[in-house]
């Protein structure tokens, strides 16, 4: 099974509304995984490195010109501008990992996930959902970073975003973190047991054995 | 999530060649599961009950006439004759459980699974594979029940059956039993996180909350 499962890595897109807890889930997923089997996707950015950030680990730090060249070369699974800085998921880096048999985990908002889906439809798209809108409101309020107006705006944005769930393969409600992490782990295991086009190689191996 | 996951049960078909260990895996799956959430499918048979067998638990024991009536009424997901006795999976009993939100596990050979697929394509079809043909030979020899000729025949039948894997959703290699059981459990969890047509109800619940 291992040889079959390891044949190629899979791209897991962990996505969902702000406050759903996708970052925490990704962190736990990576912490608990074998580093030879699963890695977090590293984004490319034009934002200058902050203290302690390491190129190629925190981000790939590039100039605006390099970033633009990569856009023109169709080199991103998705990219976006946030407050004047550009961020993107470099396609070549992801493909390289997948071909080496390493799963890649990509944490991204819903709009970004929809762009990734266009560029890489073979990805496994997991929507992380807060257990209820009232709990989401509590979480966003608890952060203490946003005014009530901003929180109301986020909640109403979230409602709109729910209609994208049907574009995803899985939905995981993040009520209890441990349960949600276990569910995502189960999805990873299950996806590696899926019957895919690789199955013919497996069958050939059995036939040669006789 | 629970309400969403429990909405309807799912039919898991655990299938594969003789000696792959599907029976042991099903047994473990049921033992470790909540009896309110998962049950083994009970077959209907014309074979007379053996000592200790309970009607409705071991089998549904019926007369040949009752069995034939059920065949004519399209009442089986699959049925077959073995040594003059008839066996079948009663469709109504399975649907009843699924509608009550209970998963049903069906252990069946490959031909039976293919018939179930025609009758109930929404089932989740899991192929249990021995880790290698030489290990399968050892297992079959170890049983001590079959002659070498019969074992050779079984192995060559198995090779032919491998081509059916592509009709399945998942393939689980049963090398280490615990690992195989864990994989099947992960598949069950993952399938209950799948985005299905029920998703609209979930979304409506969130919208009503605001």
């Amino acid at each position: 099974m291992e040889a079959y499962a390891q044949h190629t890595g899979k791209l897991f897109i962990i996505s969902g509304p702000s406050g759903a807890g996708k970052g925490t889930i990704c962190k736990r997923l990576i912490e608990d995984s074998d580093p030879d089997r699963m890695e977090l996707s590293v984004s490319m950015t034009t934002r200058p490195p902050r203290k302690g950030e390491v190129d190629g680990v925190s981000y790939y730090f590039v100039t605006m010109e390099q970033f633009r060249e990569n856009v023109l070369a169709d080199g991103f699974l998705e990219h976006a501008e946030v407050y004047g800085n550009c961020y993107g998921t470099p396609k070549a880096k992801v493909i390289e990992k997948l071909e080496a048999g390493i799963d890649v985990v990509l944490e991204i908002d819903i709009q970004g996930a929809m762009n990734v889906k266009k560029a890489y439809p073979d990805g496994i798209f997991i929507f992380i959902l807060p257990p209820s809108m009232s709990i989401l409101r509590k979480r966003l309020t608890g952060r203490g970073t946003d005014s009530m107006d901003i929180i109301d705006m986020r909640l109403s944005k979230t409602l709109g975003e729910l209609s994208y769930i049907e574009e995803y393969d899985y939905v995981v409600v993040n009520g209890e973190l441990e349960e949600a992490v276990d569910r995502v782990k189960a999805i990873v295991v299950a996806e590696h047991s899926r019957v895919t086009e690789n199955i013919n190689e497996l069958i050939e191996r059995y036939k040669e054995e006789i």
Side-chain angles (χ1 to χ4, degrees), chain A:
Chain A
M1 193 61 210
E2 283 312 280
Y4 170 57
Q6 282 191 355
H7 193 264
T8 49
K10 285 172 184 276
L11 177 60
F12 293 94
I13 296 93
I14 312 284
S15 175
S18 179
K22 52 188 185 294
T24 317
I25 289 174
C26 283
K27 197 168 163 278
R28 282 292 315 281
L29 196 62
I30 294 291
E31 276 171 8
D32 295 354
S33 73
D34 178 345
D36 295 337
R37 298 290 297 272
M38 182 175 270
E39 286 184 20
L40 208 56
S41 166
V42 177
S43 294
M44 194 174 277
T45 184
T46 60
R47 163 170 90 54
R50 290 178 192 147
K51 208 182 162 187
E53 286 185 339
V54 178
D55 186 45
V57 179
S58 319
Y59 287 95
Y60 298 104
F61 295 102
V62 294
T63 63
M64 186 59 94
E65 198 188 331
Q66 288 171 312
F67 197 96
R68 279 197 194 120
E69 273 170 20
N70 211 27
V71 171
L72 291 174
D74 194 25
F76 288 113
L77 287 179
E78 56 75 42
H79 62 97
E81 201 185 310
V82 183
Y83 301 127
N85 293 312
C86 294
Y87 298 82
T89 303
K91 200 189 283 184
K93 298 284 183 186
V94 169
I95 302 291
E96 197 178 282
K97 301 286 179 195
L98 299 180
E99 287 181 349
I102 300 167
D103 288 338
V104 178
V105 175
L106 177 57
E107 180 205 339
I108 196 160
D109 65 10
I110 291 156
Q111 198 190 325
M114 291 302 100
N115 288 328
V116 174
K117 203 180 172 186
K118 274 179 227 153
Y120 195 81
D122 287 347
I124 294 128
F125 293 79
I126 306 174
F127 196 102
I128 308 295
L129 199 60
S132 71
M133 292 304 280
S134 53
I135 288 172
L136 181 58
R137 178 184 288 278
K138 266 187 209 157
R139 283 184 191 167
L140 293 173
T141 312
R143 285 182 179 178
T145 51
D146 296 317
S147 69
M148 288 310 277
D149 279 0
I150 297 283
I151 288 170
D152 280 341
M153 199 196 69
R154 279 191 196 277
L155 288 173
S156 111
K157 187 183 169 197
T158 296
L159 275 183
E161 286 175 333
L162 294 181
S163 60
Y164 286 96
I165 295 181
E166 60 187 34
E167 301 291 328
Y168 286 71
D169 301 301
Y170 298 96
V171 58
V172 172
V173 177
N174 183 17
E176 289 297 321
L177 178 67
E178 288 312 307
E179 200 193 309
V181 170
D182 284 347
R183 263 183 196 273
V184 175
K185 285 181 187 172
I187 292 167
V188 172
V189 171
E191 283 292 332
H192 277 292
S193 302
R194 282 213 154 260
V195 172
T196 66
E197 64 281 2
N198 299 335
I199 200 66
N200 288 326
E201 288 177 33
L202 181 78
I203 294 174
E204 285 312 312
R205 257 202 289 137
Y206 279 78
K207 291 194 173 162
E208 278 164 21
E209 223 198 301
I210 288 274

